[in-house]
Each structure stands twice: as structure tokens, then as C-alpha cells.
């Protein structure tokens, strides 16, 4: 029996792992469509590196839905088209090309958390569990029957980086194990409508990571861990300027809301119902970890000492 063939559209560490899962399942990947790695994305190995090591042609995708891309993919006559954390919505005409279907890997337990940045959003919302879903693609985002899911527990101090790595590891196995059932048609297909109502979250904007002293301490912590390094970080902003809160942890020690308290071994920042102990602030690119430096930075922002 000939090996199943696929064209893959992929990016991120999840895309890299899913591509590896396909190759481990014996799929012949005819082409990879991906993106150039950004200067702030050096923390993961991009799919293009894996493709290059296996002799797979790599195409950067500034305008994936162009006619010439459509014709090139159609010429491959692939069995599958896969989207693994690809940044573009793939037009409906592409979904009709593969003989055995087009499938997407999404970073949540669909139908919950459809849309962009699901890993960041589940942390912001304080979820204790999420997952990764392989589903059939339709012209609608994150729509279509579910083929496979893996559930992922979220630790209390989970960050976007650690949860992304969990999703990448799970995605690799999920894709690898799904291929035989996709090839012979034996994999059950679950209508998302039978699993309850869907929820949708859009792409995150910089303002979404702003900290507000009206937040509870847990809400502030969730915001911080959702965009901790290597993401751009949550931030405090006042009329006097801004500072990024790269990391902070909840504490039982008290601190007045909207103020800071400089202790010998750390700085507390007060929110609606409690406080966070600062670990790392960033001001104009400098990492501030000494309590005295952090206190001076907060004073410069016009935040009063409690």
C-alpha cells in the first residue's frame, strides 16, 4: 500500500511537533507552508527546520490563499491537507483538494475556546484544564467534526510557555495515533454541537495584558502567567509611564490595594483582595530583580508606598 501523502501548513512549536508526528506515522509530506521565524520567536525550533532535515520543500506563506499556491497544492494531489497552528484562514477551495480530507489542530478542548490564542486565554480565565483537538476543517474557524482530543491539566503556576510545550507534546502523539484511522476511515467523528455550547475568543491585543488594581490577586496572577516570558508580559501603566511585570507570585501577606510595600526580602503589590510578591520587573528593557530597584521603579510610576 502506498504511503499517504499530505501538504502541511504549520508554525510554532506545536506545528513542529505535529509535523514530527505525521512523519513518525509514515506520512509523505509533499510540501510545508510556513513563516519566517521572528526575532522574538527564537525559543522554539520552527517546522521549517524539521522539513529541511527530511528533504521536504519549504514555502514561506505571505499570501497563502493566492491562486498560484492553490494550483501548486492541487498539483501534488495530496491525500491530506493539515493546518497546525497556521496563521491564516484557509479558503474553502483548498479544503476540497485532498482526497481524504483537510484537518486542523487547535489548542483547546473544542468547542470551548475557539478563535485565537486559546492557550493564553485559558490561563487568563483561570481554567484548570484545557486540551488539544484535531478536527475536520470547514470554511468556518475551528468548526467541523472532532477526530481526536487530548486533555491537558493546568498547574496552578502554569505559564503560556509550559502549557504550549504540553500542547506540543500532546499534539505530536495525537496526530501520529490518528493517522491510521484517518487513512482507513475508522476514526469516529464527533459533531461539536453534541458537546455543548461553543465559546470564542479573539486575538489578544497589547491592552489585554494591562494590569488593573481593581483585579483580584488571582486575576492579576493569571494575567501575568498568560503572557510571561517569552511572551511580551503583563504591564502596569500610569500617567508617569509603564513597567512590565515579568513574574510575580501570590502571597498571603497584606498590602493596600493600589499601593506597594517594600520589604527586606521583596516588594508586594496590592490588588482588590490580596497581594502579589514581585519577582521580576522590566523597565525600558532592563530586568529589575532587586527589591530596592523595583521599589524605585514603582515610585517613578507614581504608585504610593503602603
Amino acid at each position: 500500500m502506498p504511503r499517504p501523502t499530505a501538504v502541511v501548513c504549520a508554525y510554532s512549536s506545536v506545528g513542529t511537533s505535529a509535523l514530527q508526528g505525521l512523519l513518525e506515522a509514515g506520512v509523505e509530506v509533499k510540501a510545508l507552508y510556513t513563516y519566517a521565524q521572528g526575532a522574538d520567536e527564537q525559543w522554539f525550533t520552527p517546522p521549517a527546520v524539521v522539513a529541511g532535515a527530511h528533504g521536504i520543500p519549504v514555502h514561506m506563506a505571505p499570501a497563502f490563499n493566492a491562486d498560484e499556491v492553490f494550483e501548486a497544492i492541487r498539483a501534488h494531489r495530496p491525500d491530506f491537507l493539515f493546518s497546525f497552528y497556521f496563521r491564516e484562514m484557509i479558503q474553502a477551495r483548498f479544503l476540497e483538494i485532498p482526497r481524504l480530507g483537510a484537518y486542523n489542530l487547535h489548542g483547546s478542548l473544542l468547542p470551548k475556546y475557539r478563535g485565537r490564542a486559546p492557550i493564553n486565554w485559558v490561563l487568563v480565565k483561570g481554567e484548570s484544564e484545557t486540551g488539544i483537538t484535531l478536527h475536520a476543517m470547514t470554511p468556518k474557524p475551528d468548526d467541523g467534526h472532532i477526530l481526536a482530543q487530548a486533555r491537558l491539566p493546568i498547574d496552578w503556576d502554569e505559564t503560556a510557555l509550559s502549557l504550549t510545550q504540553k500542547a506540543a507534546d500532546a499534539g505530536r502523539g495525537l496526530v501520529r495515533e490518528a493517522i491510521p484511522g484517518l487513512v482507513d476511515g475508522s476514526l469516529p467523528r464527533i459533531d461539536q454541537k453534541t458537546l455543548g455550547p461553543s465559546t470564542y475568543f479573539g486575538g489578544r491585543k497589547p491592552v489585554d495584558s494591562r494590569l488593573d488594581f481593581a483585579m483580584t490577586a488571582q486575576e492579576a496572577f493569571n494575567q501575568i502567567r498568560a503572557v510571561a516570558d517569552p511572551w511580551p508580559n503583563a504591564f502596569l501603566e500610569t500617567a508617569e509611564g509603564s513597567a512590565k511585570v515579568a513574574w510575580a507570585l501570590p502571597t498571603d501577606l497584606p498590602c493596600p490595594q493600589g499601593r506597594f510595600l517594600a520589604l527586606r526580602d521583596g516588594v508586594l503589590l496590592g490588588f482588590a483582595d490580596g497581594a502579589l510578591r514581585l519577582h521580576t520587573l522590566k523597565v525600558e528593557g532592563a530586568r529589575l530583580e532587586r527589591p530596592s530597584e523595583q521599589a524605585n521603579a514603582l515610585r517613578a510610576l507614581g504608585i504610593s508606598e503602603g
Side-chain angles (χ1 to χ4, degrees), residues 210-278:
R210 181 176 180 174
L211 295 171
D212 188 319
F213 289 120
M215 292 175 168
T216 66
Q218 185 64 50
E219 287 170 341
F221 177 57
N222 289 344
Q223 188 79 280
I224 291 164
R225 65 197 185 112
V227 286
D229 292 343
W231 272 259
N233 300 153
F235 64 93
L236 291 164
E237 187 173 57
T238 70
E240 282 73 32
S242 64
K244 293 183 176 183
V245 183
W247 192 242
L249 289 171
T251 176
D252 292 332
L253 296 174
C255 181
Q257 181 180 0
R259 295 173 178 264
F260 76 91
L261 189 61
L263 305 177
R264 181 177 301 176
D265 58 350
V267 173
L268 307 184
L269 200 58
F271 290 89
D273 67 342
L276 298 180
R277 182 188 291 270
L278 296 179

Side-chain angles (χ1 to χ4, degrees), residues 43-280:
W43 53 273
F44 66 88
T45 300
V49 171
V50 173
H54 287 83
I56 299 166
V58 175
H59 307 278
M60 297 301 166
F64 176 80
N65 288 303
D67 289 345
E68 55 267 30
V69 176
F70 175 78
E71 295 299 338
I73 292 177
R74 188 163 66 170
H76 286 302
R77 302 178 66 185
D79 294 315
F80 296 108
L81 175 65
F82 287 104
S83 173
F84 300 142
Y85 273 53
F86 200 56
R87 291 173 174 171
E88 289 184 71
M89 276 294 297
I90 297 174
Q91 289 178 351
R93 59 177 177 160
F94 286 80
L95 309 184
E96 299 171 357
I97 294 174
R99 182 177 67 88
L100 296 177
Y103 303 94
N104 178 57
L105 193 64
H106 183 73
S108 78
L109 287 174
L110 290 175
K112 295 182 178 179
Y113 289 92
R114 290 181 177 180
R116 303 282 185 175
I119 283 177
N120 307 91
W121 281 118
V122 296
L123 293 172
V124 169
K125 297 300 181 180
E127 300 285 1
S128 60
E129 182 185 59
T130 187
I132 195 160
T133 302
L134 183 69
H135 68 94
M137 294 175 68
T138 77
K140 296 180 180 180
D142 306 321
D143 191 36
H145 288 174
I146 291 171
L147 281 302
Q149 287 185 317
R151 308 184 84 89
L152 302 174
I154 299 175
D155 295 331
W156 75 269
D157 60 347
E158 196 87 63
T159 66
L161 180 60
S162 63
L163 189 54
T164 295
Q165 188 54 56
K166 282 184 179 179
D169 293 343
R172 183 173 184 167
L174 195 72
V175 168
R176 181 179 62 245
E177 292 162 15
I179 290 301
L182 287 176
V183 171
D184 65 18
S186 64
L187 206 59
R189 294 173 179 253
I190 301 170
D191 189 333
Q192 291 192 38
K193 296 184 181 67
T194 67
L195 300 178
S198 65
T199 57
Y200 176 86
F201 292 84
R204 288 183 59 81
K205 303 177 290 295
V207 69
D208 292 325
S209 298
R210 181 176 180 174
L211 295 171
D212 188 319
F213 289 120
M215 292 175 168
T216 66
Q218 185 64 50
E219 287 170 341
F221 177 57
N222 289 344
Q223 188 79 280
I224 291 164
R225 65 197 185 112
V227 286
D229 292 343
W231 272 259
N233 300 153
F235 64 93
L236 291 164
E237 187 173 57
T238 70
E240 282 73 32
S242 64
K244 293 183 176 183
V245 183
W247 192 242
L249 289 171
T251 176
D252 292 332
L253 296 174
C255 181
Q257 181 180 0
R259 295 173 178 264
F260 76 91
L261 189 61
L263 305 177
R264 181 177 301 176
D265 58 350
V267 173
L268 307 184
L269 200 58
F271 290 89
D273 67 342
L276 298 180
R277 182 188 291 270
L278 296 179
H279 181 274
T280 305

Side-chain angles (χ1 to χ4, degrees), residues 8-21:
V8 176
C9 306
Y11 195 59
S12 89
S13 59
V14 178
T16 300
S17 290
L19 174 60
Q20 290 171 321

